[in-house]
Amino acid sequence: MDENQNKWMALALELARRGEGWVEPNPMVGAVVVKHGSIVGAGWHRKFGGPHAEVEALSNAGENAQGATLYVTLEPCCHQGKTPPCTEAILQAGIAKVVAPCADPNPKVSTKGFEILKSRQVEVVTGVLEEEARNLLRPFIKFITQGKPFVLAKWAMSVDGKIATASGESRWISNDLSRQKVHQLRGRMDAIVVGAGTVEKDDPELTVRPSGIRTPIRVVLDTHGRINLESKLVQTAQETPTLIVLGNESPTLKQQSLISRGCRVLLNPLEKGRIAPGPLLKELAGMGLQNILIEGGNQVLGAFFDAGEVDEIHVFLAPFVIGGAAALSPVGGSGISSLLHKHSVNSFACDQLGDNLYFRGRLKARENPSCA
């Protein structure tokens, strides 16, 4: 029985992943309806505001749902949101048993969905592939329980760990295939974050080419309000959402100039003379942003690592050596004083993209809230 439960739940998790980039800030959820050892219905949450996974799977199953088992990757919702409660759909379909990894961390739902089902004589089983489900749901869990977005950090570097030469030259360390992968990654983000130094040096557009699932907000951390009003980001702020995060003592005139050009301006407190990651992330979550990509530079990445706010890394490794003590490494800031405090990568994968290696992995959570 356990083997079968794992098999069906693994399929539901595979279906859930298809919603990545489409459903946020909702969680990715998949569902499978099983009767007499065979699948009679399946579905996943395809798009924010659209039918939930349970409703899709039950609709797919039709009359076969009567007396069947529903495998779903998160506790069914029991409140009215953009769609009706899934618990009602489950009861109306005549499902006899619901199997889920864990409860929804959302206080509006947490364990309440299970209790409603139990009160109507639906058998409820939890804990099946819970670790795998929690890993899939980490962005949603962090967003709900900590009120912060899930933070991905990206950089390209030489084999000796340099992101630029001592003179600052960095175009291009990665190859075309790697840059295509970066655009795919951007295309499922809610925001792309860089520092004012990167804007000054590279004058990037920070857009997704070709267009992706989402159009990320471009966020610039600009402690002293130094961003050039003629930069591509400011000049295109009317077409692509652009947020300039200024230190709370930045010149009022600069704030007004940015706003008049279509930028949104956010004042943020400083810590050690720099914009504080923690309060900034709270602000971004308040805007409904669940996944953000930190693209640099060295000091911005360092600040987020120092604050323990990086959840996942995406690294592109090029097959050459730059050298030089003055050449920048990817992560600046204070760093750690002991390997006991290292930022450990828990799970990772590595692919070859032409002559580049693409390494990505999730860091061990500093806080690991259960989704139960």
Side-chain angles (χ1 to χ4, degrees), residues 44-106:
W44 67 94
H45 187 24
R46 295 172 183 264
K47 190 175 183 180
F48 180 73
H52 287 190
E54 299 95 318
V55 173
E56 266 221 352
L58 293 171
S59 176
N60 187 229
E63 293 182 358
N64 285 322
Q66 183 74 38
T69 298
L70 174 68
Y71 291 84
V72 60
T73 58
L74 186 64
E75 177 186 12
C77 67
C78 56
H79 67 293
Q80 177 71 45
K82 287 189 173 290
T83 59
C86 288
T87 48
E88 285 303 311
I90 291 168
L91 293 169
Q92 289 175 14
I95 287 290
K97 180 178 179 180
V98 170
V99 181
C102 55
D104 191 325
N106 188 338

Side-chain angles (χ1 to χ4, degrees), residues 49 61 108 142-143 148 172 312 322 349:
K108 293 180 180 179
K142 184 181 180 184
F143 186 73
K148 295 177 181 178
W172 292 101
E312 186 171 300
I322 291 177

Side-chain angles (χ1 to χ4, degrees), residues 138 146 308 310-311 344 346 362-369:
R138 261 185 71 181
Q146 299 181 40
V310 176
D311 301 296
S344 298
N346 252 10
R362 287 192 170 174
L363 275 62
K364 182 178 180 181
R366 295 297 179 93
E367 295 179 23
N368 189 21

Side-chain angles (χ1 to χ4, degrees), residues 260-338:
S260 70
R261 286 163 172 78
C263 297
R264 180 172 176 177
V265 170
L266 176 66
L267 298 180
N268 215 67
L270 302 182
E271 287 180 5
K272 299 179 181 178
R274 301 191 64 83
I275 290 168
L280 171 62
L281 290 177
K282 292 278 189 180
E283 292 275 5
L284 295 180
M287 295 165 58
L289 310 183
Q290 188 179 111
N291 292 282
I292 69 170
L293 179 65
I294 311 292
E295 289 210 16
N298 161 284
Q299 289 302 311
V300 171
L301 284 165
F304 276 83
F305 272 101
D306 285 348
E309 296 288 4
V310 176
D311 301 296
E312 186 171 300
I313 60 171
H314 292 257
V315 181
F316 299 88
L317 187 66
F320 54 79
V321 173
I322 291 177
L328 288 178
S329 62
V331 182
S334 301
I336 59 172
S337 58
S338 167

Side-chain angles (χ1 to χ4, degrees), residues 153-165 169-175 178-179 182 295 298 301 305 313-323 327-332 345 350 353 355-360:
K154 163 259 165 185
W155 63 86
M157 67 181 184
S158 60
V159 289
D160 60 331
K162 305 294 184 180
I163 61 171
T165 65
E169 183 183 351
S170 60
R171 290 192 174 184
W172 292 101
I173 288 179
S174 58
N175 65 20
S178 292
R179 293 195 291 277
V182 169
E295 289 210 16
N298 161 284
L301 284 165
F305 272 101
I313 60 171
H314 292 257
V315 181
F316 299 88
L317 187 66
F320 54 79
V321 173
I322 291 177
L328 288 178
S329 62
V331 182
V345 178
C350 188
L353 300 175
D355 64 353
N356 283 192
L357 291 180
Y358 172 35
F359 177 94
R360 68 250 184 230

